[in-house]
Amino acid sequence: MTSDNSTLDVVQMGNGRNLVLLHSLLSDRTAFDRIAPRLAAERRIWLVNLPGFGASSPAGPGLQDFADRIAEQLPKLGLSGDADLLGNGFGGFVAVALATRHGGLFDRLVLVDTGGAIPPEGKGAFDAMAERVEAGGMEAVLATALARMFPDDFLALHPEIAEERKASLRAVRPEYFAAACRALAKFDRRAELGAIRNPTLVVVGLRDTATPPSLSHELAAGIPGASLVELPHCGHSPHIQDPESFWLAVKPFLHLAG
């Protein structure tokens, strides 16, 4: 889907109230494959490949540029009326940027294993990943990415999911992945969280090593009226690791029936 020479790669499924899904840095929109059909039974879902992923053209150097691209393009592609927004990891950071810059475009906000900023001690990991992919391509970060997405015991029991996630990462262009890493390392919207007026649910897997749970707790504390749900056994991607627990976590907030 193309508009004004800026491409946003989006797939739509289902009917009903709009729900936009934004994936993590370590995946693409296929990360929602295990939950998308169930959501699409009740919602019109928008599966977005973030700028630089899939067929989406890259955006500018900051996460605000990612957010602005989405805010510009989705209404042109038909997003209207009440729309909810769900973001995981990197997509959650983009969702925070959307809420602070374009909050009127959305109603309810679900932020999954994400935060308002990357703390100083965490920035080096993203700079290192950027340097590794620039030197050795996406293959150089596959093992690191899997370890950040899922607990070791889950990976041992589900090698097919590990291979599926490796395949999605191999498809990303290294230069775009490196740019996303650096944009994330610089992101800080903590001072603006108090201005978010969207009803917000923060979901956190307590075994997340990519985005430590403390960041989700800080996020929930910073957004007025935000609710927090903890998934003790999950890592960074609970919608992949345990779709049923994830469904139960978001179902009341999103008024889902199934």
Side-chain angles (χ1 to χ4, degrees), residues 176-187:
Y176 296 163
F177 182 85
C181 287
R182 294 191 171 105
L184 185 53
K186 296 174 183 176
F187 182 75

Side-chain angles (χ1 to χ4, degrees), residues 1-255:
M1 299 182 181
T2 306
S3 177
D4 296 342
N5 300 316
S6 295
T7 302
L8 194 64
D9 183 11
V10 182
V11 167
Q12 296 172 15
M13 296 172 59
N15 294 285
R17 181 183 173 96
N18 290 302
L19 175 62
V20 177
L21 304 176
L22 305 180
H23 61 82
S24 78
L25 175 70
L26 306 174
S27 189
D28 57 14
R29 68 176 176 225
T30 63
F32 295 107
D33 282 355
R34 285 174 175 78
I35 199 80
R38 198 169 181 183
L39 289 168
E42 302 185 39
R43 296 296 194 91
R44 182 190 190 201
I45 62 172
W46 299 63
L47 294 156
V48 178
N49 269 331
L50 290 166
F53 293 77
S56 292
S57 58
L63 284 201
Q64 69 273 11
D65 300 302
F66 287 69
D68 290 351
R69 168 74 61 76
I70 291 166
E72 173 196 22
Q73 295 299 324
L74 288 188
K76 294 180 180 179
L77 299 173
L79 185 74
S80 61
D82 292 331
D84 299 325
L85 176 65
L86 186 155
N88 170 227
F90 183 79
F93 285 94
V94 175
V96 170
L98 278 163
T100 58
R101 296 171 68 83
H102 307 282
L105 189 60
F106 299 99
D107 182 16
R108 291 184 167 250
L109 185 64
V110 181
L111 303 172
V112 184
D113 287 273
T114 190
I118 297 296
E121 62 272 19
K123 295 180 186 297
F126 294 100
D127 291 333
M129 279 199 294
E131 291 170 3
R132 284 205 297 276
V133 299
E134 287 171 335
M138 293 304 298
E139 203 72 29
V141 297
L142 293 185
T144 298
L146 285 176
R148 291 172 70 89
M149 287 183 78
F150 305 109
D152 289 344
D153 52 354
F154 177 81
L155 286 173
L157 289 171
H158 298 280
E160 76 286 358
I161 291 180
E163 291 307 312
E164 172 190 283
R165 293 300 98 210
K166 286 180 183 178
S168 74
L169 273 169
R170 287 190 181 105
V172 182
R173 288 179 59 171
E175 65 269 30
Y176 296 163
F177 182 85
C181 287
R182 294 191 171 105
L184 185 53
K186 296 174 183 176
F187 182 75
D188 190 344
R189 287 291 182 275
R190 288 173 295 181
E192 300 165 54
L193 296 179
I196 294 176
R197 293 295 175 261
N198 306 77
T200 301
L201 172 67
V202 177
V203 180
V204 55
L206 295 183
R207 298 182 68 190
D208 187 353
T209 59
T211 308
S214 59
L215 300 189
S216 290
H217 289 117
E218 179 185 51
L219 187 63
I223 298 175
S227 301
L228 176 73
V229 174
E230 297 177 340
L231 299 176
H233 61 295
C234 285
H236 188 63
S237 302
H239 49 292
I240 302 175
Q241 183 181 341
D242 188 349
E244 181 64 25
S245 290
F246 182 74
W247 177 269
L248 293 175
V250 303
K251 177 180 172 178
F253 182 76
L254 291 177
H255 305 302

